[in-house]
Amino acid sequence: MILTVTLNAALDVTYRVPRLEPSASHRVREVAERPGGKGLNVARVLAALGHETLVTGFAGGSTGERVRELLAEVTEAGPVGDAFVTIGGTTRRTVGVVEESGGPDGGATLFNEPGPQIAPAEWERFLDVYDELLLGADAVALCGSLPPGVPVGAYGTLVRAARTAGVPVVLDTSGEPLRRGLAARPDVVKPNSDELAGITGSTEPLYAARLARRRGAHAVVASLGADGLLALTPDGAWRVEPPRRVVGNPIGAGDSVVAALLSGLVEGLSWPDRLVRAAALAAATVRAEVAGEFDRTAYEELLPAVAVTRQMAAA
């Protein structure tokens, strides 16, 4: 079983409009609701790849109930297990507006609510649940932002618990939570180029990845947007490039990279094979309409066409 943790889960609402213009009224052509938050997107992609998955984090209020209802629905991806901790607050919403005509970054605009206030007792209850879930986990992903009330060092605490339990952990967050999490020595961190620069002070991806490894990460896989991926691992460094630029909705592409890394880890794939899967899956996710899904036909077409180039040896 692969466990994904989404402390700041959301109900994702996606609007599709012909074109988004500031200070204007818009006619929405289509509305979609999905369980949201990075770890939930990861879990749904993992389920579609055939892996048993379980999600945990916090859920509360009417939106929290809706998230759990959507997780329980039978889809092509298969079932995703629900181990959420119920809270007194209300799960946040995120709204994504996708322009059918295209635009910057694929024409997607996001509005992210901050999340509910988590009481100290709710955080302690979650830690107890997490420790129990680790006993049956083959790997764990710690994903996304922290809701108000959760300690800024939360991911460091969760990484250390996973390491104590002997469970490999992938960390995908940003800012100070990422900085604190690095110190706990996660197996893999998956920032984008801006997040990597934010914690290291370097805009040169390979050098920044080296700094992140020196600060605790066992391996670093950085998303470089349309330019693919950069990976710095104990086995070496690689650049991974998709065969062509894929136009569509980029929301969730990074989450699909995490899913690919987790699936490759538990399947025992080599680093190059994990990275090929990650690049193809990310590109196929851009072709899907909503986060947490991917275009399977595109994925299968892209897999043999992804280019992996060995870079300077890891230091």
Side-chain angles (χ1 to χ4, degrees), residues 172-211:
D172 183 12
T173 186
S174 60
E176 191 61 22
L178 175 56
R179 194 186 313 275
R180 300 282 188 98
L182 275 178
R185 305 187 62 81
D187 294 87
V188 183
V189 294
K190 205 293 299 169
N192 62 35
S193 55
D194 289 340
E195 292 164 348
L196 188 57
I199 63 165
T200 63
S202 174
T203 58
E204 200 291 304
L206 183 56
Y207 180 65
R210 289 180 183 276
L211 292 177

PDB file of all heavy atoms in Angstrom, residues 172-211:
ATOM      1  N   ASP A 172       6.933  16.723  -1.130  1.00  0.00           N
ATOM      2  CA  ASP A 172       6.611  17.706  -2.164  1.00  0.00           C
ATOM      3  C   ASP A 172       5.875  18.872  -1.524  1.00  0.00           C
ATOM      4  O   ASP A 172       4.656  18.846  -1.368  1.00  0.00           O
ATOM      5  CB  ASP A 172       5.754  17.066  -3.262  1.00  0.00           C
ATOM      6  CG  ASP A 172       5.448  18.021  -4.406  1.00  0.00           C
ATOM      7  OD1 ASP A 172       6.081  19.102  -4.469  1.00  0.00           O
ATOM      8  OD2 ASP A 172       4.580  17.695  -5.234  1.00  0.00           O
ATOM      9  N   THR A 173       6.633  19.884  -1.144  1.00  0.00           N
ATOM     10  CA  THR A 173       6.055  21.083  -0.555  1.00  0.00           C
ATOM     11  C   THR A 173       6.959  22.247  -0.917  1.00  0.00           C
ATOM     12  O   THR A 173       7.787  22.135  -1.833  1.00  0.00           O
ATOM     13  CB  THR A 173       5.870  20.924   0.972  1.00  0.00           C
ATOM     14  OG1 THR A 173       5.186  22.052   1.492  1.00  0.00           O
ATOM     15  CG2 THR A 173       7.207  20.759   1.681  1.00  0.00           C
ATOM     16  N   SER A 174       6.844  23.386  -0.233  1.00  0.00           N
ATOM     17  CA  SER A 174       7.630  24.558  -0.604  1.00  0.00           C
ATOM     18  C   SER A 174       7.920  25.409   0.628  1.00  0.00           C
ATOM     19  O   SER A 174       7.363  25.182   1.707  1.00  0.00           O
ATOM     20  CB  SER A 174       6.883  25.393  -1.649  1.00  0.00           C
ATOM     21  OG  SER A 174       5.641  25.841  -1.133  1.00  0.00           O
ATOM     22  N   GLY A 175       8.797  26.401   0.452  1.00  0.00           N
ATOM     23  CA  GLY A 175       9.053  27.380   1.490  1.00  0.00           C
ATOM     24  C   GLY A 175       9.647  26.780   2.756  1.00  0.00           C
ATOM     25  O   GLY A 175      10.399  25.803   2.732  1.00  0.00           O
ATOM     26  N   GLU A 176       9.276  27.369   3.890  1.00  0.00           N
ATOM     27  CA  GLU A 176       9.832  26.937   5.166  1.00  0.00           C
ATOM     28  C   GLU A 176       9.472  25.487   5.514  1.00  0.00           C
ATOM     29  O   GLU A 176      10.321  24.764   6.065  1.00  0.00           O
ATOM     30  CB  GLU A 176       9.390  27.885   6.286  1.00  0.00           C
ATOM     31  CG  GLU A 176      10.101  27.693   7.608  1.00  0.00           C
ATOM     32  CD  GLU A 176      11.602  27.922   7.530  1.00  0.00           C
ATOM     33  OE1 GLU A 176      12.059  28.623   6.599  1.00  0.00           O
ATOM     34  OE2 GLU A 176      12.331  27.394   8.396  1.00  0.00           O
ATOM     35  N   PRO A 177       8.239  25.001   5.209  1.00  0.00           N
ATOM     36  CA  PRO A 177       7.971  23.580   5.456  1.00  0.00           C
ATOM     37  C   PRO A 177       8.936  22.661   4.707  1.00  0.00           C
ATOM     38  O   PRO A 177       9.345  21.618   5.234  1.00  0.00           O
ATOM     39  CB  PRO A 177       6.529  23.401   4.977  1.00  0.00           C
ATOM     40  CG  PRO A 177       5.913  24.746   5.179  1.00  0.00           C
ATOM     41  CD  PRO A 177       6.998  25.722   4.815  1.00  0.00           C
ATOM     42  N   LEU A 178       9.318  23.038   3.477  1.00  0.00           N
ATOM     43  CA  LEU A 178      10.289  22.242   2.728  1.00  0.00           C
ATOM     44  C   LEU A 178      11.668  22.334   3.370  1.00  0.00           C
ATOM     45  O   LEU A 178      12.368  21.330   3.527  1.00  0.00           O
ATOM     46  CB  LEU A 178      10.345  22.718   1.274  1.00  0.00           C
ATOM     47  CG  LEU A 178      11.409  22.068   0.380  1.00  0.00           C
ATOM     48  CD1 LEU A 178      11.261  20.559   0.362  1.00  0.00           C
ATOM     49  CD2 LEU A 178      11.327  22.639  -1.037  1.00  0.00           C
ATOM     50  N   ARG A 179      12.056  23.542   3.753  1.00  0.00           N
ATOM     51  CA  ARG A 179      13.354  23.732   4.389  1.00  0.00           C
ATOM     52  C   ARG A 179      13.469  22.887   5.664  1.00  0.00           C
ATOM     53  O   ARG A 179      14.485  22.229   5.903  1.00  0.00           O
ATOM     54  CB  ARG A 179      13.550  25.216   4.720  1.00  0.00           C
ATOM     55  CG  ARG A 179      14.985  25.602   5.068  1.00  0.00           C
ATOM     56  CD  ARG A 179      15.034  27.056   5.525  1.00  0.00           C
ATOM     57  NE  ARG A 179      14.302  27.941   4.654  1.00  0.00           N
ATOM     58  CZ  ARG A 179      14.801  28.493   3.548  1.00  0.00           C
ATOM     59  NH1 ARG A 179      16.046  28.237   3.207  1.00  0.00           N
ATOM     60  NH2 ARG A 179      14.054  29.303   2.810  1.00  0.00           N
ATOM     61  N   ARG A 180      12.418  22.900   6.480  1.00  0.00           N
ATOM     62  CA  ARG A 180      12.427  22.112   7.720  1.00  0.00           C
ATOM     63  C   ARG A 180      12.389  20.604   7.405  1.00  0.00           C
ATOM     64  O   ARG A 180      13.026  19.801   8.092  1.00  0.00           O
ATOM     65  CB  ARG A 180      11.224  22.475   8.582  1.00  0.00           C
ATOM     66  CG  ARG A 180      11.145  23.935   9.003  1.00  0.00           C
ATOM     67  CD  ARG A 180      12.070  24.283  10.153  1.00  0.00           C
ATOM     68  NE  ARG A 180      11.818  25.626  10.633  1.00  0.00           N
ATOM     69  CZ  ARG A 180      11.064  25.920  11.686  1.00  0.00           C
ATOM     70  NH1 ARG A 180      10.480  24.952  12.375  1.00  0.00           N
ATOM     71  NH2 ARG A 180      10.884  27.179  12.055  1.00  0.00           N
ATOM     72  N   GLY A 181      11.618  20.244   6.387  1.00  0.00           N
ATOM     73  CA  GLY A 181      11.524  18.836   6.019  1.00  0.00           C
ATOM     74  C   GLY A 181      12.836  18.266   5.516  1.00  0.00           C
ATOM     75  O   GLY A 181      13.158  17.095   5.764  1.00  0.00           O
ATOM     76  N   LEU A 182      13.619  19.067   4.798  1.00  0.00           N
ATOM     77  CA  LEU A 182      14.911  18.613   4.285  1.00  0.00           C
ATOM     78  C   LEU A 182      15.818  18.118   5.404  1.00  0.00           C
ATOM     79  O   LEU A 182      16.530  17.124   5.247  1.00  0.00           O
ATOM     80  CB  LEU A 182      15.611  19.755   3.548  1.00  0.00           C
ATOM     81  CG  LEU A 182      15.281  19.999   2.088  1.00  0.00           C
ATOM     82  CD1 LEU A 182      16.065  21.205   1.587  1.00  0.00           C
ATOM     83  CD2 LEU A 182      15.575  18.777   1.242  1.00  0.00           C
ATOM     84  N   ALA A 183      15.802  18.832   6.503  1.00  0.00           N
ATOM     85  CA  ALA A 183      16.695  18.500   7.611  1.00  0.00           C
ATOM     86  C   ALA A 183      16.413  17.116   8.184  1.00  0.00           C
ATOM     87  O   ALA A 183      17.286  16.512   8.828  1.00  0.00           O
ATOM     88  CB  ALA A 183      16.582  19.559   8.704  1.00  0.00           C
ATOM     89  N   ALA A 184      15.202  16.591   7.953  1.00  0.00           N
ATOM     90  CA  ALA A 184      14.844  15.261   8.455  1.00  0.00           C
ATOM     91  C   ALA A 184      15.284  14.144   7.503  1.00  0.00           C
ATOM     92  O   ALA A 184      15.047  12.982   7.775  1.00  0.00           O
ATOM     93  CB  ALA A 184      13.333  15.178   8.700  1.00  0.00           C
ATOM     94  N   ARG A 185      15.891  14.508   6.356  1.00  0.00           N
ATOM     95  CA  ARG A 185      16.477  13.566   5.408  1.00  0.00           C
ATOM     96  C   ARG A 185      15.447  12.690   4.700  1.00  0.00           C
ATOM     97  O   ARG A 185      15.483  11.446   4.808  1.00  0.00           O
ATOM     98  CB  ARG A 185      17.558  12.707   6.078  1.00  0.00           C
ATOM     99  CG  ARG A 185      18.663  13.531   6.748  1.00  0.00           C
ATOM    100  CD  ARG A 185      19.799  12.666   7.255  1.00  0.00           C
ATOM    101  NE  ARG A 185      20.452  11.954   6.160  1.00  0.00           N
ATOM    102  CZ  ARG A 185      21.370  12.500   5.354  1.00  0.00           C
ATOM    103  NH1 ARG A 185      21.704  13.776   5.505  1.00  0.00           N
ATOM    104  NH2 ARG A 185      21.914  11.789   4.399  1.00  0.00           N
ATOM    105  N   PRO A 186      14.537  13.285   3.936  1.00  0.00           N
ATOM    106  CA  PRO A 186      13.604  12.485   3.132  1.00  0.00           C
ATOM    107  C   PRO A 186      14.336  11.757   2.016  1.00  0.00           C
ATOM    108  O   PRO A 186      15.403  12.188   1.567  1.00  0.00           O
ATOM    109  CB  PRO A 186      12.638  13.529   2.571  1.00  0.00           C
ATOM    110  CG  PRO A 186      13.442  14.788   2.531  1.00  0.00           C
ATOM    111  CD  PRO A 186      14.332  14.725   3.741  1.00  0.00           C
ATOM    112  N   ASP A 187      13.759  10.659   1.552  1.00  0.00           N
ATOM    113  CA  ASP A 187      14.381   9.887   0.467  1.00  0.00           C
ATOM    114  C   ASP A 187      14.400  10.669  -0.839  1.00  0.00           C
ATOM    115  O   ASP A 187      15.375  10.604  -1.593  1.00  0.00           O
ATOM    116  CB  ASP A 187      13.633   8.564   0.281  1.00  0.00           C
ATOM    117  CG  ASP A 187      13.784   7.669   1.488  1.00  0.00           C
ATOM    118  OD1 ASP A 187      12.977   7.793   2.434  1.00  0.00           O
ATOM    119  OD2 ASP A 187      14.727   6.861   1.507  1.00  0.00           O
ATOM    120  N   VAL A 188      13.303  11.373  -1.131  1.00  0.00           N
ATOM    121  CA  VAL A 188      13.211  12.177  -2.358  1.00  0.00           C
ATOM    122  C   VAL A 188      12.479  13.469  -2.029  1.00  0.00           C
ATOM    123  O   VAL A 188      11.478  13.451  -1.302  1.00  0.00           O
ATOM    124  CB  VAL A 188      12.437  11.435  -3.478  1.00  0.00           C
ATOM    125  CG1 VAL A 188      12.437  12.268  -4.767  1.00  0.00           C
ATOM    126  CG2 VAL A 188      13.023  10.049  -3.737  1.00  0.00           C
ATOM    127  N   VAL A 189      12.961  14.592  -2.576  1.00  0.00           N
ATOM    128  CA  VAL A 189      12.179  15.822  -2.581  1.00  0.00           C
ATOM    129  C   VAL A 189      11.875  16.173  -4.029  1.00  0.00           C
ATOM    130  O   VAL A 189      12.698  15.952  -4.920  1.00  0.00           O
ATOM    131  CB  VAL A 189      12.876  16.998  -1.869  1.00  0.00           C
ATOM    132  CG1 VAL A 189      13.003  16.720  -0.387  1.00  0.00           C
ATOM    133  CG2 VAL A 189      14.224  17.294  -2.487  1.00  0.00           C
ATOM    134  N   LYS A 190      10.663  16.729  -4.268  1.00  0.00           N
ATOM    135  CA  LYS A 190      10.238  17.023  -5.631  1.00  0.00           C
ATOM    136  C   LYS A 190       9.765  18.478  -5.737  1.00  0.00           C
ATOM    137  O   LYS A 190       8.573  18.755  -5.836  1.00  0.00           O
ATOM    138  CB  LYS A 190       9.120  16.057  -6.046  1.00  0.00           C
ATOM    139  CG  LYS A 190       8.980  15.832  -7.556  1.00  0.00           C
ATOM    140  CD  LYS A 190       8.513  17.050  -8.312  1.00  0.00           C
ATOM    141  CE  LYS A 190       7.136  17.531  -7.882  1.00  0.00           C
ATOM    142  NZ  LYS A 190       6.834  18.896  -8.471  1.00  0.00           N
ATOM    143  N   PRO A 191      10.696  19.448  -5.705  1.00  0.00           N
ATOM    144  CA  PRO A 191      10.291  20.844  -5.892  1.00  0.00           C
ATOM    145  C   PRO A 191      10.219  21.198  -7.373  1.00  0.00           C
ATOM    146  O   PRO A 191      10.738  20.465  -8.235  1.00  0.00           O
ATOM    147  CB  PRO A 191      11.444  21.606  -5.223  1.00  0.00           C
ATOM    148  CG  PRO A 191      12.636  20.738  -5.510  1.00  0.00           C
ATOM    149  CD  PRO A 191      12.134  19.305  -5.461  1.00  0.00           C
ATOM    150  N   ASN A 192       9.574  22.334  -7.697  1.00  0.00           N
ATOM    151  CA  ASN A 192       9.769  22.902  -9.025  1.00  0.00           C
ATOM    152  C   ASN A 192      10.965  23.843  -8.960  1.00  0.00           C
ATOM    153  O   ASN A 192      11.573  24.027  -7.906  1.00  0.00           O
ATOM    154  CB  ASN A 192       8.497  23.588  -9.538  1.00  0.00           C
ATOM    155  CG  ASN A 192       8.055  24.751  -8.672  1.00  0.00           C
ATOM    156  OD1 ASN A 192       8.862  25.480  -8.106  1.00  0.00           O
ATOM    157  ND2 ASN A 192       6.740  24.939  -8.553  1.00  0.00           N
ATOM    158  N   SER A 193      11.328  24.439 -10.088  1.00  0.00           N
ATOM    159  CA  SER A 193      12.551  25.238 -10.122  1.00  0.00           C
ATOM    160  C   SER A 193      12.461  26.449  -9.200  1.00  0.00           C
ATOM    161  O   SER A 193      13.451  26.813  -8.538  1.00  0.00           O
ATOM    162  CB  SER A 193      12.848  25.682 -11.557  1.00  0.00           C
ATOM    163  OG  SER A 193      11.741  26.360 -12.122  1.00  0.00           O
ATOM    164  N   ASP A 194      11.288  27.083  -9.111  1.00  0.00           N
ATOM    165  CA  ASP A 194      11.139  28.245  -8.227  1.00  0.00           C
ATOM    166  C   ASP A 194      11.245  27.845  -6.762  1.00  0.00           C
ATOM    167  O   ASP A 194      11.859  28.552  -5.953  1.00  0.00           O
ATOM    168  CB  ASP A 194       9.800  28.938  -8.483  1.00  0.00           C
ATOM    169  CG  ASP A 194       9.759  29.656  -9.826  1.00  0.00           C
ATOM    170  OD1 ASP A 194      10.834  29.954 -10.377  1.00  0.00           O
ATOM    171  OD2 ASP A 194       8.638  29.921 -10.320  1.00  0.00           O
ATOM    172  N   GLU A 195      10.609  26.723  -6.401  1.00  0.00           N
ATOM    173  CA  GLU A 195      10.673  26.245  -5.014  1.00  0.00           C
ATOM    174  C   GLU A 195      12.099  25.867  -4.629  1.00  0.00           C
ATOM    175  O   GLU A 195      12.546  26.135  -3.513  1.00  0.00           O
ATOM    176  CB  GLU A 195       9.731  25.054  -4.841  1.00  0.00           C
ATOM    177  CG  GLU A 195       8.255  25.426  -4.960  1.00  0.00           C
ATOM    178  CD  GLU A 195       7.348  24.238  -5.179  1.00  0.00           C
ATOM    179  OE1 GLU A 195       7.863  23.129  -5.471  1.00  0.00           O
ATOM    180  OE2 GLU A 195       6.127  24.411  -5.090  1.00  0.00           O
ATOM    181  N   LEU A 196      12.820  25.265  -5.574  1.00  0.00           N
ATOM    182  CA  LEU A 196      14.197  24.879  -5.314  1.00  0.00           C
ATOM    183  C   LEU A 196      15.068  26.118  -5.118  1.00  0.00           C
ATOM    184  O   LEU A 196      15.894  26.174  -4.192  1.00  0.00           O
ATOM    185  CB  LEU A 196      14.718  24.032  -6.479  1.00  0.00           C
ATOM    186  CG  LEU A 196      16.084  23.364  -6.321  1.00  0.00           C
ATOM    187  CD1 LEU A 196      16.115  22.466  -5.097  1.00  0.00           C
ATOM    188  CD2 LEU A 196      16.421  22.570  -7.583  1.00  0.00           C
ATOM    189  N   ALA A 197      14.854  27.120  -5.959  1.00  0.00           N
ATOM    190  CA  ALA A 197      15.608  28.368  -5.812  1.00  0.00           C
ATOM    191  C   ALA A 197      15.266  29.065  -4.496  1.00  0.00           C
ATOM    192  O   ALA A 197      16.131  29.661  -3.847  1.00  0.00           O
ATOM    193  CB  ALA A 197      15.320  29.297  -6.988  1.00  0.00           C
ATOM    194  N   GLY A 198      14.000  28.970  -4.086  1.00  0.00           N
ATOM    195  CA  GLY A 198      13.560  29.642  -2.870  1.00  0.00           C
ATOM    196  C   GLY A 198      14.230  29.129  -1.612  1.00  0.00           C
ATOM    197  O   GLY A 198      14.454  29.895  -0.664  1.00  0.00           O
ATOM    198  N   ILE A 199      14.574  27.844  -1.571  1.00  0.00           N
ATOM    199  CA  ILE A 199      15.190  27.286  -0.359  1.00  0.00           C
ATOM    200  C   ILE A 199      16.709  27.251  -0.424  1.00  0.00           C
ATOM    201  O   ILE A 199      17.371  27.040   0.594  1.00  0.00           O
ATOM    202  CB  ILE A 199      14.651  25.875  -0.044  1.00  0.00           C
ATOM    203  CG1 ILE A 199      14.999  24.891  -1.157  1.00  0.00           C
ATOM    204  CG2 ILE A 199      13.174  25.917   0.246  1.00  0.00           C
ATOM    205  CD1 ILE A 199      14.826  23.448  -0.759  1.00  0.00           C
ATOM    206  N   THR A 200      17.279  27.442  -1.635  1.00  0.00           N
ATOM    207  CA  THR A 200      18.739  27.355  -1.774  1.00  0.00           C
ATOM    208  C   THR A 200      19.379  28.686  -2.143  1.00  0.00           C
ATOM    209  O   THR A 200      20.589  28.860  -1.962  1.00  0.00           O
ATOM    210  CB  THR A 200      19.128  26.328  -2.845  1.00  0.00           C
ATOM    211  OG1 THR A 200      18.636  26.760  -4.128  1.00  0.00           O
ATOM    212  CG2 THR A 200      18.576  24.956  -2.509  1.00  0.00           C
ATOM    213  N   GLY A 201      18.596  29.612  -2.712  1.00  0.00           N
ATOM    214  CA  GLY A 201      19.146  30.887  -3.159  1.00  0.00           C
ATOM    215  C   GLY A 201      19.801  30.830  -4.519  1.00  0.00           C
ATOM    216  O   GLY A 201      20.327  31.834  -5.001  1.00  0.00           O
ATOM    217  N   SER A 202      19.766  29.675  -5.191  1.00  0.00           N
ATOM    218  CA  SER A 202      20.388  29.526  -6.503  1.00  0.00           C
ATOM    219  C   SER A 202      19.331  29.275  -7.573  1.00  0.00           C
ATOM    220  O   SER A 202      18.433  28.447  -7.388  1.00  0.00           O
ATOM    221  CB  SER A 202      21.383  28.361  -6.513  1.00  0.00           C
ATOM    222  OG  SER A 202      21.876  28.136  -7.831  1.00  0.00           O
ATOM    223  N   THR A 203      19.447  29.976  -8.702  1.00  0.00           N
ATOM    224  CA  THR A 203      18.534  29.766  -9.828  1.00  0.00           C
ATOM    225  C   THR A 203      19.109  28.792 -10.850  1.00  0.00           C
ATOM    226  O   THR A 203      18.491  28.549 -11.882  1.00  0.00           O
ATOM    227  CB  THR A 203      18.213  31.100 -10.517  1.00  0.00           C
ATOM    228  OG1 THR A 203      19.440  31.709 -10.965  1.00  0.00           O
ATOM    229  CG2 THR A 203      17.479  32.043  -9.577  1.00  0.00           C
ATOM    230  N   GLU A 204      20.286  28.255 -10.598  1.00  0.00           N
ATOM    231  CA  GLU A 204      20.874  27.247 -11.482  1.00  0.00           C
ATOM    232  C   GLU A 204      20.449  25.888 -10.942  1.00  0.00           C
ATOM    233  O   GLU A 204      20.871  25.469  -9.856  1.00  0.00           O
ATOM    234  CB  GLU A 204      22.397  27.377 -11.480  1.00  0.00           C
ATOM    235  CG  GLU A 204      23.064  26.735 -12.697  1.00  0.00           C
ATOM    236  CD  GLU A 204      22.966  25.215 -12.682  1.00  0.00           C
ATOM    237  OE1 GLU A 204      23.416  24.618 -11.687  1.00  0.00           O
ATOM    238  OE2 GLU A 204      22.411  24.643 -13.644  1.00  0.00           O
ATOM    239  N   PRO A 205      19.573  25.166 -11.662  1.00  0.00           N
ATOM    240  CA  PRO A 205      18.924  23.981 -11.086  1.00  0.00           C
ATOM    241  C   PRO A 205      19.875  22.908 -10.577  1.00  0.00           C
ATOM    242  O   PRO A 205      19.640  22.346  -9.498  1.00  0.00           O
ATOM    243  CB  PRO A 205      18.047  23.468 -12.241  1.00  0.00           C
ATOM    244  CG  PRO A 205      17.766  24.673 -13.068  1.00  0.00           C
ATOM    245  CD  PRO A 205      19.015  25.495 -13.003  1.00  0.00           C
ATOM    246  N   LEU A 206      20.932  22.590 -11.322  1.00  0.00           N
ATOM    247  CA  LEU A 206      21.811  21.511 -10.880  1.00  0.00           C
ATOM    248  C   LEU A 206      22.547  21.897  -9.602  1.00  0.00           C
ATOM    249  O   LEU A 206      22.646  21.105  -8.659  1.00  0.00           O
ATOM    250  CB  LEU A 206      22.802  21.145 -11.977  1.00  0.00           C
ATOM    251  CG  LEU A 206      23.740  19.970 -11.663  1.00  0.00           C
ATOM    252  CD1 LEU A 206      22.943  18.716 -11.308  1.00  0.00           C
ATOM    253  CD2 LEU A 206      24.676  19.703 -12.846  1.00  0.00           C
ATOM    254  N   TYR A 207      23.050  23.125  -9.545  1.00  0.00           N
ATOM    255  CA  TYR A 207      23.738  23.574  -8.338  1.00  0.00           C
ATOM    256  C   TYR A 207      22.762  23.633  -7.158  1.00  0.00           C
ATOM    257  O   TYR A 207      23.100  23.230  -6.037  1.00  0.00           O
ATOM    258  CB  TYR A 207      24.369  24.941  -8.570  1.00  0.00           C
ATOM    259  CG  TYR A 207      25.104  25.476  -7.361  1.00  0.00           C
ATOM    260  CD1 TYR A 207      26.244  24.834  -6.877  1.00  0.00           C
ATOM    261  CD2 TYR A 207      24.650  26.608  -6.702  1.00  0.00           C
ATOM    262  CE1 TYR A 207      26.912  25.310  -5.756  1.00  0.00           C
ATOM    263  CE2 TYR A 207      25.319  27.093  -5.576  1.00  0.00           C
ATOM    264  CZ  TYR A 207      26.443  26.436  -5.118  1.00  0.00           C
ATOM    265  OH  TYR A 207      27.102  26.916  -4.007  1.00  0.00           O
ATOM    266  N   ALA A 208      21.540  24.125  -7.416  1.00  0.00           N
ATOM    267  CA  ALA A 208      20.537  24.191  -6.353  1.00  0.00           C
ATOM    268  C   ALA A 208      20.189  22.791  -5.851  1.00  0.00           C
ATOM    269  O   ALA A 208      19.992  22.576  -4.646  1.00  0.00           O
ATOM    270  CB  ALA A 208      19.287  24.899  -6.855  1.00  0.00           C
ATOM    271  N   ALA A 209      20.107  21.827  -6.759  1.00  0.00           N
ATOM    272  CA  ALA A 209      19.827  20.452  -6.346  1.00  0.00           C
ATOM    273  C   ALA A 209      20.955  19.904  -5.481  1.00  0.00           C
ATOM    274  O   ALA A 209      20.721  19.181  -4.507  1.00  0.00           O
ATOM    275  CB  ALA A 209      19.612  19.566  -7.571  1.00  0.00           C
ATOM    276  N   ARG A 210      22.199  20.254  -5.804  1.00  0.00           N
ATOM    277  CA  ARG A 210      23.332  19.838  -4.983  1.00  0.00           C
ATOM    278  C   ARG A 210      23.193  20.398  -3.559  1.00  0.00           C
ATOM    279  O   ARG A 210      23.430  19.696  -2.573  1.00  0.00           O
ATOM    280  CB  ARG A 210      24.641  20.316  -5.596  1.00  0.00           C
ATOM    281  CG  ARG A 210      25.054  19.597  -6.866  1.00  0.00           C
ATOM    282  CD  ARG A 210      26.366  20.176  -7.377  1.00  0.00           C
ATOM    283  NE  ARG A 210      26.754  19.553  -8.624  1.00  0.00           N
ATOM    284  CZ  ARG A 210      27.420  18.403  -8.719  1.00  0.00           C
ATOM    285  NH1 ARG A 210      27.744  17.762  -7.613  1.00  0.00           N
ATOM    286  NH2 ARG A 210      27.748  17.899  -9.887  1.00  0.00           N
ATOM    287  N   LEU A 211      22.824  21.690  -3.481  1.00  0.00           N
ATOM    288  CA  LEU A 211      22.655  22.305  -2.170  1.00  0.00           C
ATOM    289  C   LEU A 211      21.548  21.607  -1.378  1.00  0.00           C
ATOM    290  O   LEU A 211      21.681  21.390  -0.166  1.00  0.00           O
ATOM    291  CB  LEU A 211      22.330  23.791  -2.335  1.00  0.00           C
ATOM    292  CG  LEU A 211      23.452  24.675  -2.886  1.00  0.00           C
ATOM    293  CD1 LEU A 211      22.941  26.106  -3.051  1.00  0.00           C
ATOM    294  CD2 LEU A 211      24.674  24.644  -1.978  1.00  0.00           C
TER     295      LEU A 211
END
